[in-house]
Amino acid sequence: MPFIRSDKEKESTRQGGKLSAVVHPWYILIDCNNFFVSCERVFDPQLEGRPVLVLSNNDGVIISRSNEAKALGIKMAAPVFQFRDVILKHKVSLRSANFTLYRDLSRRIVHTLRQFCPDVEVYSVDEVFMAIPPMESAAIDTLIRTMRRTVYQWVGVPVGIGVAETKTLAKLAAEYAKKEKSTGGCFDLVACTSEERDRILGRIPVDDIWGIGRQHGEWLRSRGIMTALQLREIDQDRFGKKAGVTGLRTVKELQGISCLSLKREDPPRKMITCSRSFGKRVTDLQELKEAVSTFAAQAGRELRRDGSLAQRLTVYCSVRNKSEEPDDSNTSTMNLPVATDRDSDLIHAAVNGLEKFYREGVEYTKGGITLGRLTPAGSRQEDIFAGEEEERQDKLSHVVDQINSHLGYGTISYAATGTKAGWRSQAELRSPNYTTKWDELPVAYGERKMIGRKR
């Protein structure tokens, strides 16, 4: 194992590591348990204690599993037909992905957590980092258990919480909290002795570390680095030549030296993509026009929400199911005359691009729009030939946003997007949008009783 350090080198790091113990602040990671499945269980308690799968891509791919489904050996990201016999034998419940519901519950979880600490980084739809000043172990234990209990009480989603001196260690602590029932879902790595910490890190596979991944994990395993503990003790001089700055940063984070700060604001996006697999093979040009118009309107809404303009548009349609990458012959890219966020401009460009590569009789299986060369809306360069029609289209796009924001997405749409949407994904097992559509709110039933004094 050429990358493992000698005992003398380890002792030297331990002495230097005393400085890392005073690094501020501490980090908390709140990680939702099987998030998509947990969201489904919030409004369907009959799913509790049962194996459940959430599916995506026309109900064909597994994207979330309950613990009961994991115990049956069902793999993540696998085609659902591969486990058809297991699903039938064990009566596994299936749900189509309902991202509208998941995003809304995620937003509510973040809102709940901000009651405890405003210093928050929303890392993903189901993970949140927080930064807090160091405190006594009893106080931090009370804080994180109160947070966990409150999120479950207010939103209904169970979470695992980990605390450590760095974000990488906090990720490992949260994962440990979720797997070890004795922790009660909360684990403070700071409170551990050095022996306890070594024992825990020694049980974590190296490719389970945040930022390592499968490819780098295989590279490390081939050199005898099998666990998080061994990676922490690695010789940085020799390892750094191979791993670079990112790899060294991970090693230092494992040693308790914070290298990754909280990202309080998302960096501006460089591109926006809206795409979807079709629910059937589409050959009709008009139906494809409606699909790309829908994607263009969705991308335009995200542009306006971000306060950006697009100068380049790419429209594509895939022919094969097996390839996620669009064929060059089914792609059209164009520079827009002026940077814009108007739905009418984007829809017009998308339809023109589609007509350039459309071939009659070809069966298309997926379509999408990508907007590039994004600039801030405040830097818009006005078109000297623009007239009242452009101003009217500007106002129209914002009015459509306002109506859909108040009354629900899809309340009003452009005629170009069509009304039948036969190209849409199947999603036949999708649950209602319980929290974002008035006509899909859950119905509560109760028994009526007369309250009063008996005569």
Side-chain angles (χ1 to χ4, degrees), residues 21 29-30 65 98 116 119 164 167 171 187 224 227 263 272 277 281 295 315 344-345 360 362 420 447 455:
L29 177 67
I30 299 90
R65 304 163 296 164
N98 185 347
F116 297 92
D119 215 6
K167 293 172 76 174
K171 289 270 287 185
F187 187 66
T227 67
K263 295 179 181 178
I272 292 174
S277 296
R281 295 176 183 270
F295 301 143
V315 55
S344 57
D345 293 345
E360 190 172 353
V362 173
K420 296 181 180 178
E447 184 180 355
R455 293 183 177 177

Short mmCIF file of all heavy atoms in Angstrom, two decimals, residues 21 29-30 65 98 116 119 164 167 171 187 224 227 263 272 277 281 295 315 344-345 360 362 420 447 455:
data_model
loop_
_atom_site.label_atom_id
_atom_site.label_comp_id
_atom_site.label_asym_id
_atom_site.label_seq_id
_atom_site.Cartn_x
_atom_site.Cartn_y
_atom_site.Cartn_z
N ALA A 21 -9.15 21.12 15.55
CA ALA A 21 -10.25 21.00 16.49
C ALA A 21 -10.90 22.34 16.80
O ALA A 21 -11.99 22.38 17.33
CB ALA A 21 -9.75 20.36 17.78
N LEU A 29 -25.60 18.51 8.51
CA LEU A 29 -26.26 18.07 7.28
C LEU A 29 -27.58 17.39 7.63
O LEU A 29 -27.60 16.45 8.42
CB LEU A 29 -25.39 17.09 6.49
CG LEU A 29 -26.10 16.57 5.22
CD1 LEU A 29 -26.29 17.68 4.21
CD2 LEU A 29 -25.37 15.40 4.60
N ILE A 30 -28.65 17.89 7.03
CA ILE A 30 -29.97 17.27 7.17
C ILE A 30 -30.28 16.53 5.87
O ILE A 30 -30.37 17.17 4.80
CB ILE A 30 -31.06 18.35 7.44
CG1 ILE A 30 -30.76 19.08 8.75
CG2 ILE A 30 -32.43 17.69 7.50
CD1 ILE A 30 -29.90 20.31 8.60
N ARG A 65 -36.28 4.07 -3.45
CA ARG A 65 -36.73 2.82 -2.84
C ARG A 65 -36.92 3.01 -1.34
O ARG A 65 -36.16 3.72 -0.70
CB ARG A 65 -35.68 1.72 -3.04
CG ARG A 65 -35.27 1.46 -4.47
CD ARG A 65 -33.95 0.68 -4.50
NE ARG A 65 -32.86 1.46 -3.94
CZ ARG A 65 -31.68 0.96 -3.56
NH1 ARG A 65 -31.45 -0.33 -3.67
NH2 ARG A 65 -30.75 1.74 -3.07
N ASN A 98 -43.53 12.27 -8.91
CA ASN A 98 -44.35 13.48 -8.84
C ASN A 98 -43.45 14.61 -8.36
O ASN A 98 -43.44 14.95 -7.17
CB ASN A 98 -45.52 13.25 -7.88
CG ASN A 98 -46.47 14.43 -7.85
OD1 ASN A 98 -46.15 15.51 -8.35
ND2 ASN A 98 -47.64 14.23 -7.26
N PHE A 116 -34.59 27.42 12.87
CA PHE A 116 -33.53 27.12 13.82
C PHE A 116 -32.24 27.85 13.51
O PHE A 116 -31.48 28.20 14.42
CB PHE A 116 -33.24 25.61 13.82
CG PHE A 116 -34.39 24.78 14.28
CD1 PHE A 116 -35.32 24.28 13.37
CD2 PHE A 116 -34.57 24.50 15.63
CE1 PHE A 116 -36.38 23.52 13.80
CE2 PHE A 116 -35.64 23.75 16.06
CZ PHE A 116 -36.55 23.25 15.15
N ASP A 119 -28.51 30.39 8.53
CA ASP A 119 -27.33 30.13 7.71
C ASP A 119 -27.46 28.76 7.04
O ASP A 119 -27.00 27.75 7.57
CB ASP A 119 -26.08 30.17 8.60
CG ASP A 119 -24.89 30.74 7.85
OD1 ASP A 119 -25.07 31.20 6.71
OD2 ASP A 119 -23.78 30.73 8.41
N ALA A 164 -20.48 17.73 12.28
CA ALA A 164 -19.02 17.54 12.28
C ALA A 164 -18.34 18.89 12.02
O ALA A 164 -19.01 19.89 11.77
CB ALA A 164 -18.61 16.52 11.24
N LYS A 167 -17.83 19.78 6.11
CA LYS A 167 -19.01 19.33 5.38
C LYS A 167 -18.89 17.85 4.98
O LYS A 167 -19.87 17.11 5.01
CB LYS A 167 -19.22 20.20 4.13
CG LYS A 167 -19.58 21.64 4.47
CD LYS A 167 -19.57 22.53 3.24
CE LYS A 167 -20.79 22.31 2.37
NZ LYS A 167 -20.84 23.29 1.25
N LYS A 171 -21.46 14.86 6.13
CA LYS A 171 -22.15 13.91 5.24
C LYS A 171 -22.02 12.48 5.77
O LYS A 171 -23.00 11.72 5.77
CB LYS A 171 -21.55 13.99 3.84
CG LYS A 171 -21.87 15.26 3.06
CD LYS A 171 -23.14 15.13 2.26
CE LYS A 171 -22.94 14.24 1.06
NZ LYS A 171 -24.15 14.22 0.20
N PHE A 187 -26.57 12.14 14.78
CA PHE A 187 -25.24 11.71 15.23
C PHE A 187 -24.28 12.90 15.20
O PHE A 187 -24.16 13.60 14.20
CB PHE A 187 -24.71 10.60 14.33
CG PHE A 187 -23.42 10.02 14.82
CD1 PHE A 187 -23.38 9.31 16.00
CD2 PHE A 187 -22.25 10.20 14.11
CE1 PHE A 187 -22.19 8.77 16.47
CE2 PHE A 187 -21.05 9.66 14.56
CZ PHE A 187 -21.03 8.94 15.76
N GLY A 224 -5.01 -0.03 -2.54
CA GLY A 224 -5.11 -0.46 -1.16
C GLY A 224 -5.84 0.48 -0.24
O GLY A 224 -5.88 0.25 0.97
N THR A 227 -11.03 2.27 2.86
CA THR A 227 -11.98 2.91 3.78
C THR A 227 -11.68 4.41 3.93
O THR A 227 -10.62 4.90 3.52
CB THR A 227 -11.91 2.27 5.17
OG1 THR A 227 -10.62 2.56 5.75
CG2 THR A 227 -12.09 0.76 5.10
N LYS A 263 -22.30 27.49 0.81
CA LYS A 263 -22.68 28.27 -0.38
C LYS A 263 -24.09 28.80 -0.16
O LYS A 263 -25.06 28.06 -0.28
CB LYS A 263 -22.64 27.38 -1.63
CG LYS A 263 -21.24 26.89 -1.97
CD LYS A 263 -21.27 26.00 -3.20
CE LYS A 263 -19.88 25.50 -3.54
NZ LYS A 263 -19.88 24.58 -4.71
N ILE A 272 -29.96 26.42 -19.56
CA ILE A 272 -31.22 25.87 -19.05
C ILE A 272 -31.69 24.81 -20.04
O ILE A 272 -31.74 25.07 -21.25
CB ILE A 272 -32.28 26.98 -18.91
CG1 ILE A 272 -31.89 27.95 -17.79
CG2 ILE A 272 -33.66 26.37 -18.63
CD1 ILE A 272 -32.81 29.15 -17.69
N SER A 277 -38.78 12.36 -22.03
CA SER A 277 -39.06 11.21 -22.88
C SER A 277 -40.54 11.20 -23.23
O SER A 277 -41.39 11.49 -22.37
CB SER A 277 -38.68 9.91 -22.16
OG SER A 277 -37.30 9.87 -21.90
N ARG A 281 -43.90 6.58 -29.22
CA ARG A 281 -43.07 7.00 -30.34
C ARG A 281 -43.89 7.98 -31.19
O ARG A 281 -44.99 7.65 -31.63
CB ARG A 281 -42.65 5.79 -31.17
CG ARG A 281 -41.74 4.84 -30.39
CD ARG A 281 -41.42 3.60 -31.19
NE ARG A 281 -40.62 2.68 -30.40
CZ ARG A 281 -39.30 2.69 -30.36
NH1 ARG A 281 -38.63 3.56 -31.12
NH2 ARG A 281 -38.63 1.86 -29.61
N PHE A 295 -41.72 22.74 -24.18
CA PHE A 295 -40.39 22.84 -23.57
C PHE A 295 -39.88 24.29 -23.62
O PHE A 295 -39.26 24.77 -22.67
CB PHE A 295 -39.40 21.91 -24.29
CG PHE A 295 -39.79 20.47 -24.26
CD1 PHE A 295 -39.56 19.64 -25.35
CD2 PHE A 295 -40.42 19.92 -23.15
CE1 PHE A 295 -39.92 18.31 -25.33
CE2 PHE A 295 -40.78 18.59 -23.13
CZ PHE A 295 -40.54 17.78 -24.22
N VAL A 315 -32.63 22.91 -30.19
CA VAL A 315 -33.79 22.02 -30.09
C VAL A 315 -33.36 20.67 -30.65
O VAL A 315 -32.61 20.61 -31.63
CB VAL A 315 -35.00 22.58 -30.87
CG1 VAL A 315 -34.65 22.87 -32.32
CG2 VAL A 315 -36.17 21.61 -30.79
N SER A 344 -42.84 33.91 -26.90
CA SER A 344 -43.14 33.89 -28.34
C SER A 344 -41.85 33.72 -29.16
O SER A 344 -41.84 32.96 -30.13
CB SER A 344 -43.86 35.17 -28.74
OG SER A 344 -43.08 36.31 -28.40
N ASP A 345 -40.78 34.40 -28.79
CA ASP A 345 -39.51 34.28 -29.52
C ASP A 345 -38.96 32.86 -29.40
O ASP A 345 -38.49 32.28 -30.38
CB ASP A 345 -38.48 35.27 -28.95
CG ASP A 345 -38.86 36.70 -29.22
OD1 ASP A 345 -39.74 36.93 -30.08
OD2 ASP A 345 -38.28 37.60 -28.58
N GLU A 360 -40.17 12.75 -42.13
CA GLU A 360 -41.45 12.05 -42.10
C GLU A 360 -41.22 10.54 -41.95
O GLU A 360 -40.34 9.97 -42.61
CB GLU A 360 -42.24 12.34 -43.38
CG GLU A 360 -43.68 11.85 -43.33
CD GLU A 360 -44.47 12.32 -44.54
OE1 GLU A 360 -43.93 13.12 -45.32
OE2 GLU A 360 -45.62 11.87 -44.70
N VAL A 362 -40.09 8.95 -39.35
CA VAL A 362 -39.15 8.62 -38.27
C VAL A 362 -39.88 8.63 -36.93
O VAL A 362 -40.70 9.52 -36.67
CB VAL A 362 -37.98 9.63 -38.24
CG1 VAL A 362 -37.10 9.40 -37.02
CG2 VAL A 362 -37.16 9.51 -39.51
N LYS A 420 -54.02 18.33 -26.18
CA LYS A 420 -54.12 16.89 -25.91
C LYS A 420 -52.86 16.33 -25.26
O LYS A 420 -52.93 15.48 -24.39
CB LYS A 420 -54.41 16.14 -27.22
CG LYS A 420 -55.75 16.51 -27.83
CD LYS A 420 -56.00 15.72 -29.10
CE LYS A 420 -57.36 16.10 -29.71
NZ LYS A 420 -57.60 15.38 -30.98
N GLU A 447 -66.07 11.81 11.60
CA GLU A 447 -67.40 11.45 12.11
C GLU A 447 -68.00 12.65 12.82
O GLU A 447 -67.34 13.30 13.64
CB GLU A 447 -67.27 10.28 13.08
CG GLU A 447 -68.61 9.79 13.59
CD GLU A 447 -68.44 8.62 14.56
OE1 GLU A 447 -67.28 8.18 14.73
OE2 GLU A 447 -69.44 8.18 15.14
N ARG A 455 -79.54 15.55 28.13
CA ARG A 455 -80.76 15.85 28.89
C ARG A 455 -81.30 14.59 29.56
O ARG A 455 -81.13 13.50 29.05
CB ARG A 455 -81.82 16.39 27.95
CG ARG A 455 -81.46 17.74 27.38
CD ARG A 455 -82.58 18.28 26.50
NE ARG A 455 -82.24 19.60 26.01
CZ ARG A 455 -83.03 20.27 25.17
NH1 ARG A 455 -84.18 19.75 24.76
NH2 ARG A 455 -82.67 21.47 24.76
#
